Amino acid sequence: MFIRPTAALAAFLLVSAAPYAQAAEKPTDPQIAHIAYTAGTIDIEAAKQAIKKSRTKEVVDFAKDMERDHEAVNKQALDLVKKLKVTPQDNATSQALVKAAKEERAKLAKLKGAAFDKAYIENEVAYHKQVDSALETLLIPSAGNAELKSLLETGLKIFQGHEQHAEHVAGALK
């Protein structure tokens, strides 16, 4: 299946990995917490948009699952940073994610019906693939705190399931 690259994915790819690789620095735990929370919030906002715009049961059900699951993981993340007395640190990756997601939501807002459903689900497949990759290759290995690392690993398992679910829905829309 061909997945169109989105602005959010391109920004996430370029911004999340490149600066850290070039500077030979890993993101700090406060930066990781902010990136992970931001990525979850972006998918919550995308889900809310899909719930409002789509009239396709499979798409709406998927979006409701995304909203519920990402809100639950973000709540766990907030609870953990409070417990650890860590303040998530805004960073270039989080800012690029927010900017790209805003642009993607604007593009999706112009679409209706099957065109919206297809674009939303394709974006969800691609977005989850990219977030899964970033978790595996950058965020989890860079996490210094064992509890943060564990939460990220749990999130990875959930998001891998989201990716498979999105791929299933994408196949059903064809």
Side-chain angles (χ1 to χ4, degrees):
M1 170 187 349
F2 174 74
I3 304 296
R4 66 179 174 86
T6 65
L9 293 172
F12 192 74
L13 243 181
L14 295 173
V15 177
S16 68
Y20 298 118
Q22 291 171 356
E25 293 177 18
K26 299 186 295 185
T28 65
D29 285 356
Q31 291 170 332
I32 291 168
H34 200 280
I35 293 165
Y37 186 85
T38 299
T41 299
I42 286 167
D43 214 30
I44 292 165
E45 291 169 0
K48 287 179 180 179
Q49 183 181 35
I51 291 165
K52 286 181 184 173
K53 286 194 62 98
S54 182
R55 300 293 173 250
T56 305
K57 181 181 179 349
E58 294 83 2
V59 172
V60 172
D61 288 349
F62 172 81
K64 287 179 179 178
D65 287 349
M66 294 307 98
E67 182 180 32
R68 180 198 63 230
D69 292 354
H70 286 279
E71 283 178 348
V73 171
N74 273 5
K75 182 186 180 319
Q76 289 178 326
L78 286 176
D79 291 346
L80 179 60
V81 296
K82 285 178 188 173
K83 175 185 170 189
L84 299 175
K85 296 182 173 106
V86 171
T87 302
Q89 183 182 13
D90 195 7
N91 56 78
T93 300
S94 294
Q95 293 165 8
L97 283 170
V98 169
K99 181 177 185 270
K102 183 177 177 183
E103 292 168 2
E104 185 66 23
R105 280 193 310 277
K107 288 179 195 172
L108 289 173
K110 296 175 185 173
L111 301 175
K112 294 181 181 178
F116 172 84
D117 291 344
K118 183 177 186 302
Y120 167 71
I121 291 297
E122 284 180 352
N123 187 59
E124 285 295 298
V125 170
Y127 186 71
H128 281 90
K129 280 181 190 262
Q130 196 53 50
V131 171
D132 291 350
S133 176
L135 280 164
E136 285 181 305
T137 62
L138 180 66
L139 301 179
I140 292 171
S142 298
N145 179 278
E147 289 179 271
L148 175 59
K149 188 177 289 242
S150 177
L151 180 62
L152 294 171
E153 289 168 344
T154 298
L156 175 60
K157 290 175 189 164
I158 293 168
F159 303 149
Q160 286 170 333
H162 289 172
E163 180 185 330
Q164 292 173 348
H165 188 183
E167 287 171 344
H168 175 76
V169 174
L173 291 177
K174 294 189 180 224

